Amino acid sequence: MPATLIDGKALASQIKAEIAQEVNQLTSEGYRAPHLAAILVGHDGGSETYVRNKVLACEACGFDSTLIRYEDDVTEAELLQRIHQLNQDDSIDGFIVQLPLPRHINEQRVIEAVDPRKDVDGFHPINVGRMAIGLPAFISATPLGILTLLRRYNIATKGKKCVVMGRSNIVGKPMVQLMLQKEGADSTVTCVHSRTQNIAEECRSADILIAALGQPGFVTADMVKPGAVVIDVGTTRVPDASRKNGYRLSGDVDFEAVSEVASAITPVPGGVGPMTICMLMQNTLAAAKKEIYKD
Ligand code: GUN
């Protein structure tokens, strides 16, 4: 039986509609709409697309948004100065600095300059640490989107064996934490990465396999246990002359072959990607409502 398609695009639309309804209610009660700001440095194609989609998602949710652009040669000091202003600005509920940044800027210094109460990306060490010990925190949008997909599709996670492929700070590591948490997925978790021996064998033991490597087609059918749930986080641009824009997005999973083995699978595009942006909106709403940090 072919796998169930986990439709992140449809679920993201539904959640954005739920958020818009809540914003409508808040504004009718006299509160102002949530307000997200995004800082975009330079003109990287991927980053431009992500930020444009974030602004569009704000519109769909009834949020205000502010896009702040800098050229590639902005100094770290200028960027930090703008972050301090946003930290102080009571009209902004949350903001993000789109990554990656140019090489002359220290990314970690930028991440740590953001007030944790406005860190809707969940990248600040305070949010990362609070999440890891199960305290209220802003949680990185991609892992939170994956957990939401699993929950809304009623996929059992408690006590299940989950293998996370990749150990990035944005996806792999927080994903491990969320799948591990009692209040999260409550799974038994293994993380595999570029130094892992017997990756295929580890993957075959997974009831839930989450691939976040950025290597197109890495996960083949022989690496998947029959009936496993497969989540594909990969969104690598690969050249494709048949497309108008000259590329297509490729996931980490060989979709055609793996969907013959898995019980459920996310497509690329239309799986995890739309959920990520939707969770950024959810975090921004939580920031506006002061749900995480109450003061
Ligand atoms: N670059 C890739 N993913 C992300 C993300 O979720 N947030 C930010 N700020 N930059 C990114």
Side-chain angles (χ1 to χ4, degrees):
M1 201 170 61
T4 300
L5 197 70
I6 301 177
D7 189 343
K9 195 173 170 193
L11 182 56
S13 296
Q14 189 188 325
I15 293 175
K16 279 187 282 186
E18 291 166 14
I19 293 173
Q21 200 171 16
E22 192 170 342
V23 170
N24 227 331
Q25 179 68 27
L26 285 172
T27 51
S28 73
E29 289 167 8
Y31 295 98
R32 64 163 176 75
H35 188 172
L36 175 71
I39 298 180
L40 175 59
V41 178
H43 298 275
D44 171 76
S47 293
E48 293 261 5
T49 306
Y50 287 134
V51 170
R52 185 168 57 242
N53 288 336
K54 287 170 187 179
V55 169
L56 289 173
C58 283
E59 285 169 19
C61 293
F63 294 3
D64 291 329
S65 65
T66 298
L67 174 57
I68 301 160
R69 301 196 69 126
Y70 288 101
E71 290 301 323
D72 276 321
D73 59 358
V74 66
T75 64
E76 186 178 299
E78 268 179 280
L79 203 54
L80 292 174
Q81 174 61 25
R82 193 71 182 86
I83 290 170
H84 292 307
Q85 279 174 11
L86 291 169
N87 285 341
Q88 305 296 325
D89 184 343
D90 288 339
S91 75
I92 303 281
D93 298 299
F95 65 97
I96 62 152
V97 182
Q98 188 65 29
L99 304 178
L101 291 169
R103 291 241 302 273
H104 67 277
I105 295 174
N106 181 324
E107 224 161 71
Q108 195 57 29
R109 210 173 283 147
V110 166
I111 287 170
E112 293 188 35
V114 177
D115 185 331
R117 288 169 295 194
K118 295 193 177 189
D119 171 37
V120 285
D121 258 336
F123 292 170
H124 193 289
I126 287 186
N127 281 313
V128 175
R130 286 178 65 99
M131 190 268 278
I133 59 172
L135 291 175
F138 289 112
I139 298 172
S140 183
T142 301
L144 188 58
I146 292 167
L147 185 63
T148 304
L149 274 178
L150 295 172
R151 284 187 171 151
R152 295 249 188 159
Y153 270 80
N154 287 319
I155 291 165
T157 56
K158 196 173 184 158
K160 299 290 181 190
K161 177 82 197 281
C162 174
V163 172
V164 176
M165 307 175 73
R167 53 177 162 179
S168 70
N169 288 343
I170 293 182
V171 184
K173 283 184 201 150
M175 193 75 245
V176 165
Q177 295 294 343
L178 275 189
M179 295 308 291
L180 188 64
Q181 298 282 339
K182 211 168 190 171
E183 316 73 29
D186 214 3
S187 300
T188 300
V189 187
T190 299
C191 184
V192 302
H193 50 78
S194 54
R195 296 285 175 263
T196 302
Q197 296 177 0
N198 296 327
I199 285 201
E201 195 180 313
E202 293 286 354
C203 290
R204 266 194 303 275
S205 74
D207 301 307
I208 300 165
L209 184 61
I210 302 175
L213 299 163
Q215 292 197 38
F218 186 92
V219 178
T220 48
D222 60 301
M223 295 166 72
V224 177
K225 176 158 89 177
V229 173
V230 179
I231 306 290
D232 190 350
V233 189
T235 48
T236 308
R237 286 181 170 198
V238 296
D240 184 342
S242 72
R243 302 289 174 103
K244 209 166 55 184
N245 51 15
Y247 69 87
R248 66 188 152 80
L249 287 184
S250 175
D252 288 347
V253 176
D254 176 355
F255 182 86
E256 295 302 325
V258 170
S259 46
E260 296 294 321
V261 182
S263 64
I265 187 167
T266 59
V268 176
V272 173
M275 288 301 293
T276 296
I277 293 187
C278 175
M279 292 299 106
L280 177 66
M281 300 299 117
Q282 194 171 288
N283 282 348
T284 304
L285 178 61
K289 291 165 69 185
K290 307 221 182 309
E291 275 179 356
I292 311 285
Y293 298 95
K294 308 225 180 259
D295 57 330

